[in-house]
Amino acid sequence: MGADDGRRVTITAIAREAGVSVPTVSRVLNGRSDVAPDTRERVEELLRHHGYRRRSSRSVRRAGLVDLVFNDLDSPWAVEILRGVEDVGQGAGVGTVVSAIHRQSTAARQWLQNLRTRATDGVIFVTSHLTPPLHAQLRRLNVPVVVVDPAGVPAMEVPTIGATNWAGGLAATEHLLAIGHRRIGFVAGPTHLLCSRARLDGYRAGLEAAGVPVDDALICPGDFYHASGFAAGTALLDLDDPPTGIFAASDQMAFGVYEAIRRRGLRVPDDVSVVGFDDLPEARWASPPLTTVRQPLVEMGRLAARTVLRLAQGESIDSPRVELATKLVVRDSTTAPPSGRPGRS
C-alpha cells in the first residue's frame, strides 16, 4: 500500500498498518483528545502519506464556509485578496468568515478555539506563519489549509499562493535604470515576510546586473503602510546625495514617499521618480498616476479559494507551490532624472 493508493485506502487499512483499532483512527480523524500522542502522530503520518480524506456524505458534512485569516485588515491590499476569495465562494455557494489575529498569540488561540465550536471547509491564511503546532491542530480537525504570501516556509504538504516578487523587484529597478537613474532608493517591506525579501533581492539583482553598486544607505526599512513610506522618503531625501528615483515595495509606501517629496517642495516625477508594488485600484488615480508592479491580488485570492475547496472535496492539486506573474505598469510617476543631475552611481 503506497501513497498512490490515497483514493482507495480505508480507515481499516490505516488501522492495520498503524497497529491500532479502527475506533482509534476514527478518534484521530475527529480531533479527539483521548489518543496517546505517539499513537496520534503515527496515525496522522499514515493519513498524510496515503492522502486519506473522508469522502462519504455521512462522514463529511460540508460547512458551506471558508475561513480567511489576516494579520490585519486595515489595508486595501487585504480587500483585494478578499474580493478574489468571495468571487469563488459566491459561485460555489460558500460563505467567507473573515478574521484578523493582529499577530497576537492570544488572538490566534481565541480564533482556533472558536473554530473548534463550528464547522469550516478550509482555512486561508494571508501573510502568516503557519506554525507547526497550529498546523497540527488544524490537521486534527481535518481542516485543509492554504497560505497566501507565507511569512515563512510552511510544511511541504501546505499549498501556498504567491506572486513573482523577485521578478517584480527586478522589473521595477530595471525600469528606473533604463530611463537613466543610478541613485535609486528602496523602501523595504517587513523583513519577516518572504515576499519582502524577494523584492529586495530583485532590486539588488537589477543594480548589480547594471554594474551599479548597492548602497545600503539607499535602503530604508518599512512595513508596507503609508507612514513608513513617508518616514523612509524623508530619510532618503535627507541624504547628502539623495536618490533621483525611489522604488517602494508597496503602493501604500509609495504614496507615503509622494507626501515626503511634496513636503520638500519637490515634484513627482520632475524631481524624483517613484515606483510602487501591488497596483492597488487607487494607484491609477494618484497624482500623478503611479508606476507600479502589478501583483494579481484578486486572482491570488481566487486561486487560494479554489484550492482550499478542492482540498475540502478530497481532490488532489497540481502543485503545492504556485507563483502568479507580476507585471510592470508604467504610468506618470517616472521619468528621466532631472536635467543636470543624472543620478550618478
Side-chain angles (χ1 to χ4, degrees), residues 76-211:
W77 182 91
V79 174
E80 296 300 293
I81 297 287
L82 174 58
R83 281 179 52 203
V85 171
E86 289 201 318
D87 280 352
V88 171
Q90 288 173 3
V94 174
T96 306
V97 179
V98 181
S99 304
I101 57 176
H102 305 292
R103 302 185 185 92
Q104 298 175 10
S105 58
T106 53
R109 286 196 299 269
Q110 183 62 54
W111 170 80
L112 186 61
Q113 184 60 39
N114 292 340
L115 192 68
R116 290 192 184 101
T117 66
R118 60 176 173 81
T120 185
D121 291 325
V123 179
I124 300 169
F125 289 101
V126 183
T127 60
S128 299
H129 179 56
L130 183 60
T131 63
L134 177 58
H135 186 207
Q137 293 185 68
L138 291 170
R139 282 202 309 263
R140 289 169 190 162
L141 295 172
N142 201 36
V143 174
V145 176
V146 174
V147 181
V148 176
D149 265 348
V153 181
M156 280 304 297
E157 67 268 23
V158 177
T160 63
I161 311 296
T164 54
N165 291 286
W166 183 88
L170 177 66
T173 307
E174 287 181 334
H175 169 66
L176 289 169
L177 290 164
I179 58 178
H181 295 272
R182 292 299 180 268
R183 290 284 291 175
I184 301 173
F186 181 75
V187 186
T191 57
H192 70 280
L193 295 180
L194 291 176
C195 62
S196 297
R197 300 200 293 272
R199 293 171 199 178
L200 173 58
D201 289 344
Y203 160 80
R204 290 179 178 274
L207 294 178
E208 291 168 357

Side-chain angles (χ1 to χ4, degrees), residues 6 18 41 58 68 72 88 93 106 122 159 206 210 217 222 242 246 249 256 263 280 283 309 311:
E41 183 176 352
R58 290 186 178 182
L68 179 59
D72 294 291
V88 171
T106 53
I246 298 176
R263 292 199 185 185
L280 298 173
L309 289 176
L311 292 173

Side-chain angles (χ1 to χ4, degrees), residues 9-68:
V9 71
T10 64
I11 290 180
T12 301
I14 293 289
R16 185 185 308 116
E17 190 171 350
V20 300
S21 67
V22 170
T24 296
V25 176
S26 180
R27 286 197 293 273
V28 171
L29 281 168
N30 288 301
R32 294 270 295 275
S33 60
D34 53 344
V35 180
D38 58 339
T39 300
R40 180 186 302 280
E41 183 176 352
R42 185 164 70 253
V43 171
E44 287 179 342
E45 177 58 33
L46 287 169
L47 291 168
R48 290 195 299 273
H49 175 70
H50 294 297
Y52 179 85
R53 287 195 182 279
R54 297 173 292 178
R55 291 180 175 80
S56 72
S57 59
R58 290 186 178 182
S59 60
V60 177
R61 291 181 298 171
R62 294 295 304 278
L65 293 172
V66 166
D67 278 74
L68 179 59

Side-chain angles (χ1 to χ4, degrees), residues 227-289:
S228 70
F230 175 75
T234 300
L236 288 169
L237 295 173
D238 279 342
L239 295 173
D240 291 338
D241 187 10
T244 59
I246 298 176
F247 168 32
S250 78
D251 286 354
Q252 285 189 283
M253 292 195 301
F255 299 145
V257 172
Y258 269 31
E259 184 63 20
I261 293 169
R262 289 189 183 115
R263 292 199 185 185
R264 291 299 174 91
L266 303 175
R267 293 177 297 175
V268 179
D270 298 347
D271 299 302
V272 185
S273 290
V274 180
V275 180
F277 200 110
D278 286 331
D279 196 23
L280 298 173
E282 53 264 47
R284 71 188 63 186
W285 302 113
S287 180

